[in-house]
Amino acid sequence: MTDREILGGIGVSAGTASGAAALVTPAAGVDPNEPASTDPAADGQRVREALAAVSASLRERAARAGSETSRAVLEATAALATDRGLAKAVDKELAKGSGVTRALCDATEVFASKLRKLGGYMAERVTDLYDIRDRATAFLRGLPEPGVPDLAEPAILVAHDLAPAETATLNPALVRGIVTEAGGATSHTAILAAQLGIPAIVQAKGITQRAAGGTVLAIDGGVGEVIIAPTPSDVEELEQRSRRRAQALAGSSGEGATRDGHKVKLLANIGTAEDAAAAAAKDVEGAGLFRTEFLFLEREAAPSIEEQTETYASVLESFGDRRVVVRTLDAGADKPLAFADLGPEDNPALGRRGLRLSQAREDLLHTQLAALAAAHARVPDAELWVMAPMVSTLEETRWFAEAARSHGLPRVGVMVETPAAAIRAAQLLDVADFASIGTNDLSQYTMAADRMQGELAHLLSPWQPAVLSMIRATCQGGAATGKPVGVCGEAGGDPLMALVLVGLGVASLSMAPSKVGAVCAALRLHDLDTCRQMANFAVDAPTADDARAAVLAIADPVLRDLV
């Protein structure tokens, strides 16, 4: 019998669940008995066939995916499986005499190292790359593919890590929860789990050893707690918490506002036109972040002005007269584009990305701005706001504002993702109409910690007082200029953190649509003065843990069931 034990992790998708553990089938790994390659050309073709089979399988999954976001993740992974760079790296290993699975494994590691050095979006794809390696290895060895087992009964998935390609196709009716040993709070897997409404915990060290298949688990995805072999009272407490949560959420609809009527717009983060249609059907006040790079990635040529106009008009039509905040192309060194390659950089995360790429390739920006203007002309009742990513200086702000206004766009803003932009927010907002804080990147750059490195997750917490100080500086800049400041990072979807952000002066919060209800309920439980008191306690706290504890101590007890 398994002894009761409590493991701590990082909660990335709120909710409670209990059930038997279902272990994700581990990767088979390199064949220890395979012979060395004596015909590299023939063996290289075998590996290409395996990778092509994996790509085809992923595309089939994409065709069955329930959302455009899931479909896009799967299609991007399928494209990575047939990347010529990976195949060439395999050829090099085969030429050294390695066997086929050893060559694939070593080549993948070389390729993964390159992606990690690129940082940002490309670093996020290392998990996808390993998933491709493991599936192709299984194909080469004639073994079952690793991954999520077929579930006959509802269960809690347990894995070292879970590839986004797996998460994207999970059935919430059968997957009660997700617990992984690796992963980060802002990974694709975490974001997809939240969108699916599946409670999820990452960085639960040792869970795969302690939770053999069939072991009963109870999890709280809000606080990041895993109970192994829970007692009946543990399960009952979680069920009661779930019922209390449902009761607290029952009245959380309509406009976002504190208990005393202070308005806070609650918006959705979207990435595609299909995401927009799905989000617009929910109880949200608009879209606070429309990531447009899905139109540009994995293409040999930039999308035409006509294609972009159709997509943007579709998004605006979905939301009617509600606000839609569009982020211009956030690509560059960390999200390289085949048609806009500015060359290798030693530190791409600090290189020519976002607005810096737009300044190097003005044609891309002006085409996008023209398409947005044309879409707005087709949907004139839409409340269109446009903002630039990776802004650091007043000169950059002026340059973008002049470009956007030259196309007749009505509201022009900037992303605050760097300490430079936060500290100088008042000066930037003298020129821009609004600012939106990207808490994920702001945390990364403030704390000098790679947001994709799970071991540094404690440094990337938005509860870090240094990060909160940056947010406060930005809001002070907004107050000084009378310009609104919003948040579109993952922090906005945390009900407890949302209270602090509002107390700091944030006017709008954008998040995964599934999180809006909990944030709305949290706001209605507290007045603005309490939110301001929470903000002061959090900023002045000595540590991130102290900040969260201080806020929770003065929050309405009902909130404990929402976080």
Side-chain angles (χ1 to χ4, degrees):
M1 178 181 292
T2 304
D3 293 332
R4 180 181 184 276
E5 184 179 0
I6 298 178
L7 284 183
I10 299 172
V12 295
S13 181
T16 60
S18 61
L23 290 175
V24 172
T25 306
V30 172
D31 183 352
N33 301 313
E34 70 181 2
S37 177
T38 56
D39 188 345
D43 288 338
Q45 183 58 32
R46 281 185 62 200
V47 174
R48 283 170 172 77
E49 289 172 358
L51 291 170
V54 170
S55 179
S57 174
L58 291 169
R59 292 189 190 281
E60 288 175 6
R61 288 181 177 222
R64 300 193 304 269
S67 74
E68 183 60 27
T69 299
S70 299
R71 194 172 304 122
V73 169
L74 289 166
E75 288 176 347
T77 307
L80 184 61
T82 53
D83 188 285
R84 285 177 292 181
L86 176 59
K88 289 179 180 178
V90 172
D91 290 340
K92 289 181 180 178
E93 298 301 325
L94 291 169
K96 297 176 184 177
S98 296
V100 288
T101 62
R102 168 54 62 188
L104 176 59
C105 178
D106 291 348
T108 300
E109 205 54 54
V110 171
F111 208 64
S113 177
K114 292 179 180 179
L115 292 181
R116 287 194 189 95
K117 289 179 181 177
L118 288 173
Y121 174 79
M122 299 310 292
E124 291 175 358
R125 307 205 64 189
V126 170
T127 300
D128 296 0
L129 184 63
Y130 286 152
D131 184 44
I132 291 165
R133 174 202 62 193
D134 295 341
R135 293 177 188 279
T137 298
F139 183 91
L140 290 166
R141 296 186 63 181
L143 297 173
E145 279 194 351
V148 176
D150 291 330
L151 299 176
E153 299 290 338
I156 294 177
L157 285 185
V158 174
H160 173 72
D161 201 357
L162 200 59
E166 293 285 2
T167 313
T169 53
L170 294 180
N171 180 356
L174 289 174
V175 179
R176 287 179 172 167
I178 299 169
V179 185
T180 68
E181 288 187 313
T186 60
S187 66
H188 278 155
T189 297
I191 293 169
L192 288 169
Q195 288 178 337
L196 292 168
I198 300 174
I201 297 170
V202 300
Q203 293 292 313
K205 299 299 185 183
I207 185 63
T208 56
Q209 287 75 37
R210 291 171 171 81
T215 299
V216 176
L217 304 176
I219 69 171
D220 187 328
V223 300
E225 183 178 87
V226 183
I227 306 176
I228 300 169
T231 65
S233 61
D234 290 329
V235 175
E236 175 59 25
E237 168 57 26
L238 280 183
E239 290 176 350
Q240 288 181 9
R241 191 179 301 172
S242 182
R243 287 192 291 270
R244 292 194 301 267
R245 177 181 173 83
Q247 185 176 3
L249 292 174
S252 59
S253 60
E255 292 183 339
T258 59
R259 187 172 61 197
D260 53 339
H262 176 73
K263 296 291 181 64
V264 182
K265 277 196 176 294
L266 301 182
L267 310 165
N269 291 340
I270 59 173
T272 65
E274 288 77 7
D275 284 351
K282 299 182 183 298
D283 188 26
V284 300
E285 297 177 71
L289 173 61
F290 174 27
R291 305 177 180 96
T292 58
E293 49 269 16
F294 275 109
L295 276 167
F296 295 82
L297 297 176
E298 308 295 344
R299 297 178 63 131
E300 293 300 317
S304 67
I305 187 171
E306 293 79 13
E307 181 183 350
Q308 291 189 57
T309 299
E310 288 298 321
T311 298
Y312 304 148
S314 174
V315 171
L316 295 178
E317 287 167 355
S318 292
F319 284 100
D321 61 357
R322 287 176 284 176
R323 182 185 304 174
V324 176
V325 184
V326 178
R327 182 178 70 189
T328 57
L329 178 61
D330 187 11
D334 67 331
K335 303 174 191 172
L337 302 173
F339 50 86
D341 186 358
L342 300 181
E345 294 182 317
D346 291 335
N347 195 340
L350 302 178
R352 291 175 291 181
R353 53 165 291 198
L355 187 65
R356 298 169 186 176
L357 172 65
S358 295
Q359 289 181 312
R361 286 291 306 273
E362 293 187 38
D363 57 313
L364 294 177
L365 178 68
H366 281 288
T367 298
Q368 184 170 30
L369 295 175
L372 285 165
H376 194 223
R378 284 172 48 175
V379 193
D381 292 336
E383 186 184 343
L384 174 62
W385 297 25
V386 181
M387 62 185 181
M390 199 62 182
V391 174
S392 296
T393 68
L394 180 59
E395 293 89 342
E396 290 172 340
T397 305
R398 284 177 176 155
W399 183 86
F400 177 72
E402 289 172 2
R405 288 168 183 153
S406 73
H407 289 275
L409 293 167
R411 299 294 293 270
V412 181
V414 295
M415 292 282 293
V416 174
E417 300 163 285
T418 66
I423 293 168
R424 300 287 289 175
Q427 287 71 30
L428 271 54
L429 285 169
D430 269 336
V431 175
D433 298 319
F434 69 95
S436 185
I437 302 171
T439 53
N440 300 344
D441 268 331
L442 183 59
S443 297
Q444 172 176 242
Y445 291 126
T446 300
M447 303 304 295
D450 185 349
R451 57 184 283 195
M452 294 312 303
Q453 193 161 337
E455 292 77 11
L456 300 179
H458 64 289
L459 292 176
L460 293 164
S461 167
W463 290 101
Q464 286 288 350
V467 176
L468 293 173
S469 294
M470 291 296 163
I471 296 172
R472 179 171 63 180
T474 307
C475 291
Q476 288 171 340
T481 56
K483 306 289 181 65
V485 173
V487 162
C488 60
E490 292 303 306
D494 177 345
L496 191 63
M497 173 56 72
L499 300 175
V500 173
L501 295 173
V502 170
L504 289 170
V506 169
S508 63
L509 300 165
S510 193
M511 64 204 79
S514 62
K515 297 184 177 183
V516 170
V519 172
C520 184
L523 290 174
R524 293 186 180 186
L525 288 169
H526 303 84
D527 57 33
L528 182 58
D529 283 343
T530 301
C531 292
R532 287 170 173 162
Q533 183 183 14
M534 290 173 166
N536 290 333
F537 282 4
V539 174
D540 292 340
T543 70
D545 289 342
D546 291 332
R548 190 180 189 279
V551 173
L552 193 59
I554 60 174
D556 189 298
V558 173
L559 195 64
R560 294 176 182 272
D561 299 316
L562 296 177
V563 299

